[in-house]
Amino acid sequence: MTNRREVICTERKNFHTHTIFCDGKNSAEETVLKAIEKGFSALGFSGHSYTFFDGSYCMTEDGTLQYIKEVKRLREKYRGEIRIYLGLEADYFAENIDFDAYDFIIGSVHYLKLGGEFIPVDHTAECQRETVDRFFGGSFDKFCEAYYELVADVAEKTHADLIGHFDLVTKFNDADCLFSTETPAYIGAWRSAADVLIRRGIPFEINTGAIARGRRKTPYPSHDIAKYISDNGGSLVYSSDCHDAEMLDCEYEKCMALYGDCRIVDFEKLIKK
């Protein structure tokens, strides 16, 4: 495999974007206007799919219909100024999704189902510790293995066109402050999941969302994971996982420097028409 950077996209674009329809700060139209101001040529909205067991962050069922209508309205209103796409971030455990209603799907794992409960993997560091102690005998390796088992299946489960924040389980683990990402068990878990997803030919995002929220200093996935994906035939897409329009282009330049030896593709060219 080549180590040379393969950048197919040089325009400013983002396809992981949240609004007040779910847990974002801005309206969809405010976000469009900010994207135009920042010189973006394309913007993909990706509201969180409705999850029946936790409505704290996602779109409601009625809100989902309103979201679809609003994004379509904005696409027509700003035609000629920016290209707008209607997407969805589908959680692994979401149900009854009309996949045909969207231009693209981001497949993500935000929960583990343990003892009949849906436990978030990225709520707080304290929640992670409690989960590890309660269900995994204090072993972060076993916790991460359970997470990556679901990630390996996320494309099949969600019909994903893009893999969301592959190593989300490290959200609170900057500089390995909670657990080691160098153990054979951890490396084996993410590699197994990556291998399955690479074979499906679906790109992974390089996601700066945790940087915008002050949780990490580097994007998801870590560079070693991104390099493995790239060297083994996979591809990656720059994404800000925007929840605040001001951060729509969060650390894009940093990504380009840090992931300069990885294969970056233009996701817009892969979106179904």
Side-chain angles (χ1 to χ4, degrees), residues 35-47:
I36 293 171
E37 178 186 319
K38 287 178 173 287
F40 277 62
S41 60
L43 179 67
F45 288 100
S46 57

Side-chain angles (χ1 to χ4, degrees), residues 15-256:
F15 295 93
H16 194 157
T17 313
H18 299 287
T19 69
I20 55 175
F21 281 107
C22 52
D23 59 348
K25 177 181 177 181
N26 304 96
S27 71
E29 187 154 17
E30 287 171 340
T31 306
V32 170
L33 292 172
K34 182 58 67 171
I36 293 171
E37 178 186 319
K38 287 178 173 287
F40 277 62
S41 60
L43 179 67
F45 288 100
S46 57
H48 283 293
S49 61
Y50 171 67
T51 48
F52 67 94
F53 53 85
D54 183 1
S56 65
Y57 78 104
C58 64
M59 297 188 291
T60 64
E61 292 179 294
D62 288 342
T64 300
L65 299 178
Q66 296 170 24
Y67 162 75
I68 293 171
K69 182 178 179 180
E70 176 65 359
V71 173
K72 289 181 176 179
R73 181 186 75 83
L74 295 173
R75 177 157 56 197
E76 294 306 313
K77 180 175 180 179
Y78 292 98
R79 187 176 296 276
E81 295 183 69
I82 188 170
R83 299 182 297 278
I84 295 175
Y85 294 88
L86 171 61
L88 182 76
E89 183 174 11
D91 182 75
Y92 184 89
F93 290 107
E95 299 178 349
N96 302 318
I97 296 174
D98 179 7
F99 294 105
D100 291 334
Y102 302 96
D103 297 321
F104 67 93
I105 302 293
I106 300 174
S108 297
V109 174
H110 297 97
Y111 302 88
L112 298 178
K113 190 174 184 181
L114 303 167
E117 300 178 49
F118 292 96
I119 308 293
V121 301
D122 65 329
H123 181 53
T124 64
E126 291 72 21
C127 182
Q128 274 196 351
R129 289 192 191 95
E130 290 173 5
T131 299
V132 168
D133 289 342
R134 181 181 173 194
F135 294 101
F136 298 97
S139 171
F140 269 95
D141 277 344
K142 292 180 180 179
F143 169 64
C144 293
E145 286 171 345
Y147 167 76
Y148 282 115
E149 283 179 10
L150 294 187
V151 173
D153 190 45
V154 73
E156 179 73 23
K157 187 71 159 49
T158 67
H159 300 198
D161 302 293
L162 180 64
I163 304 303
H165 36 58
F166 178 77
D167 55 350
L168 180 65
V169 74
T170 64
K171 180 175 180 177
F172 309 106
N173 196 42
D174 196 52
D176 280 12
C177 60
L178 281 179
F179 61 91
S180 173
T181 56
E182 299 298 326
T183 66
Y186 180 80
I187 294 171
W190 71 252
R191 283 189 177 179
S192 293
D195 288 343
V196 170
L197 296 171
I198 289 168
R199 286 195 293 270
R200 295 186 66 93
I202 301 168
F204 299 66
E205 63 175 2
I206 296 174
N207 178 316
T208 62
I211 300 175
R213 295 168 188 73
R215 298 296 186 182
R216 290 172 57 122
K217 296 182 179 65
T218 56
Y220 308 110
S222 60
H223 178 264
D224 59 330
I225 293 177
K227 189 67 166 56
Y228 179 89
I229 290 168
S230 185
D231 286 352
N232 286 277
S235 59
L236 301 112
V237 174
Y238 293 133
S239 157
S240 67
D241 194 351
C242 177
H243 287 70
D244 179 343
E246 290 292 343
M247 303 298 285
L248 189 61
D249 52 356
C250 176
E251 299 286 5
Y252 268 22
E253 289 74 17
K254 184 174 185 176
C255 281
M256 292 176 186

